[in-house]
Amino acid sequence: MNDPSAPLALTAHLAQVSSISFGGFPTVLPDVRNFVVTTHGWMTDQDFANIFAIAQSIPGPNMILMMSFVGWKVWGFPGAVASAFATFGPSCTIYFASYRLWDRFRDARWQQIARLGLVPVIMGLVIASGMVMARAADTSWPAVAVTTAAASIALATRLSPMWMLLLGGALGGLGLL
Amino acid sequence: MTDLAESQEPEQAVPLAALFTAFLAVSLCGVGGGGGVVWARRVAVEKRRWLTESEFADIVSLCQFMPGPNIVGIAVCVGAKLRGTIGTIAAVSGFLVIPWVIGISVGLVFLEYAQLTVVRNILGGIAATAAGLLIATGIKLLLPHRRRPTALLFAILAFGLITFAKLPLLAVLFGLAPLSIAIAGSEKTRA
């Protein structure tokens, strides 16, 4: 913890996994856990699980926040800032460059075909991650009903999701789920 | 916001401040993993009408293939599409700066109370709702493709391989995408 090289090692590691985290940051979480818990012992497994649960439930860019909490544990406020930059910096640059490249050829025939083939697969994956989240969250039948109701209302109306999230949180807080 | 303001011409340059506040809202509203897509679509497609349903679906698809937090990628791409480099900076700053400060402060307090039952129950209810919203967003973005049977087939395959076969995301992505693109290509040449 007091080793001055610790924040540097963490920042370098996060920057590296950020550049290879295809499919989003959750895919590299097991690797980050190994690095900070097993390899370096900067925190316990319980610390890491708590940080994850909180990052998932507070608003904001949650994976960047999660890594910032990890940085905070290692090196306080500067560690949190360094971890945040390491998490979004490299991938933002890659996003920008690839968007520019993709956009330059947007009327090309190959890209129209790629788009036609790609979008359905990706949307299947988005729906699947909703189902994976539902499996974790829906521990009772009332919770299943809340998930189903939220999906149906969102499909049928243009009601702001905020109302549904507030209602869901209230039902949970009252101990009904 | 009135209906008139919502239906403005998409060709008008989008103000940088609007990009900043829009992604600030997306960031603060997106609770839980994947929640950001729900709000980014809500703001960029439904409320501000900066993008069509299928333009937005394109950006989400591109972002899935890149490393990093996908939702930050959506901010990068929407900013770049509407206003170029400076637009990206506005959207990403809106997405990150204020929410990060709030998130760090709230999170450090939350870490103290993570064991409380009431806090856990509320979080559980929010998570159940957020899951339903994410499912609905995926379905809405798929709707423009509903007339192509092969599109529906690949969406169902991707969904099933993750949900039921529990294959890793990368395997499904790089296994299905080339196949789906190849079939889309042969359909286009025949048409």
Side-chain angles (χ1 to χ4, degrees):
Chain A
M1 190 92 77
N2 296 319
D3 181 0
S5 70
L8 262 178
L10 175 68
T11 311
H13 188 77
L14 288 179
Q16 183 203 327
V17 294
S18 166
S19 330
I20 55 160
S21 58
F22 292 97
F25 226 81
T27 50
V28 296
L29 273 186
D31 175 88
V32 174
R33 195 208 68 89
N34 273 341
F35 190 78
V36 298
V37 178
T38 316
T39 313
H40 291 276
W42 287 325
M43 65 185 70
T44 65
D45 245 335
Q46 187 58 47
D47 287 335
F48 195 79
N50 280 347
I51 287 175
F52 179 70
I54 284 161
Q56 285 298 91
S57 51
I58 55 179
N62 33 53
M63 281 303 126
I64 294 167
L65 281 171
M66 161 135 200
M67 296 310 137
S68 305
F69 290 133
V70 172
W72 186 289
K73 278 270 179 191
V74 176
W75 192 29
F77 185 75
V81 175
S83 300
F85 273 98
T87 307
F88 78 82
S91 51
C92 262
T93 315
I94 298 174
Y95 275 123
F96 189 75
S98 16
Y99 179 75
R100 275 299 168 84
L101 198 66
W102 174 261
D103 198 50
R104 185 179 305 165
F105 299 105
R106 66 169 306 104
D107 297 319
R109 198 182 138 73
W110 64 263
Q111 197 183 101
Q112 289 171 2
I113 290 172
R115 205 178 285 143
L116 213 56
L118 217 50
V119 171
V121 174
I122 302 298
M123 292 316 145
L125 293 176
V126 170
I127 300 170
S129 48
M131 281 301 284
V132 170
M133 277 175 65
R135 269 203 191 136
D138 293 354
T139 46
S140 65
W141 284 110
V144 175
V146 165
T147 303
T148 316
S152 319
I153 295 170
L155 278 175
T157 72
R158 287 182 57 179
L159 181 73
S160 169
M162 190 48 79
W163 296 114
M164 294 185 254
L165 289 168
L166 278 175
L167 190 64
L171 288 173
L174 292 171
L176 297 174
L177 301 182
Chain B
M1 196 183 282
T2 65
D3 281 342
L4 255 180
E6 280 182 23
S7 56
Q8 60 183 290
E9 290 290 305
E11 280 76 20
Q12 278 180 309
V14 172
L16 294 176
L19 266 172
F20 182 91
T21 50
F23 277 94
L24 173 64
V26 168
S27 185
L28 289 178
C29 292
V31 179
V37 182
V38 174
W39 288 96
R41 188 193 150 279
R42 166 95 185 162
V43 171
V45 180
E46 278 186 10
K47 280 190 79 183
R48 313 260 188 162
R49 307 203 180 178
W50 287 334
L51 304 170
T52 66
E53 206 82 79
S54 61
E55 283 170 330
F56 184 73
D58 282 352
I59 286 178
V60 175
S61 303
L62 180 67
C63 291
Q64 283 283 347
F65 269 92
M66 299 298 136
N70 292 331
I71 182 66
V72 179
I74 294 177
V76 170
C77 295
V78 173
K81 183 175 176 65
L82 297 173
R83 290 297 301 272
T85 313
I86 188 85
T88 293
I89 295 170
V92 172
S93 320
F95 190 79
L96 291 179
V97 180
I98 298 173
W100 188 84
V101 174
I102 298 176
I104 284 288
S105 329
V106 174
L108 290 175
V109 174
F110 244 137
L111 272 172
E112 297 284 302
Y113 297 101
Q115 265 68 35
L116 284 184
T117 321
V118 177
V119 176
R120 282 184 177 215
N121 284 346
I122 294 176
L123 299 182
I126 291 176
T129 316
L133 295 174
L134 189 57
I135 293 170
T137 299
I139 295 176
K140 280 184 185 172
L141 289 172
L142 188 60
L143 281 181
H145 292 261
R146 66 182 176 280
R147 276 181 244 290
R148 273 182 58 230
T150 42
L152 293 182
L153 175 73
F154 273 102
I156 292 167
L157 266 177
F159 171 79
L161 288 175
I162 294 278
T163 318
F164 302 112
K166 306 206 167 166
L167 293 180
L169 177 74
L170 276 187
V172 176
L173 192 58
F174 288 98
L176 283 184
L179 205 61
S180 176
I181 292 171
I183 291 180
S186 76
E187 277 177 5
K188 254 207 144 174
T189 9
R190 255 185 286 133

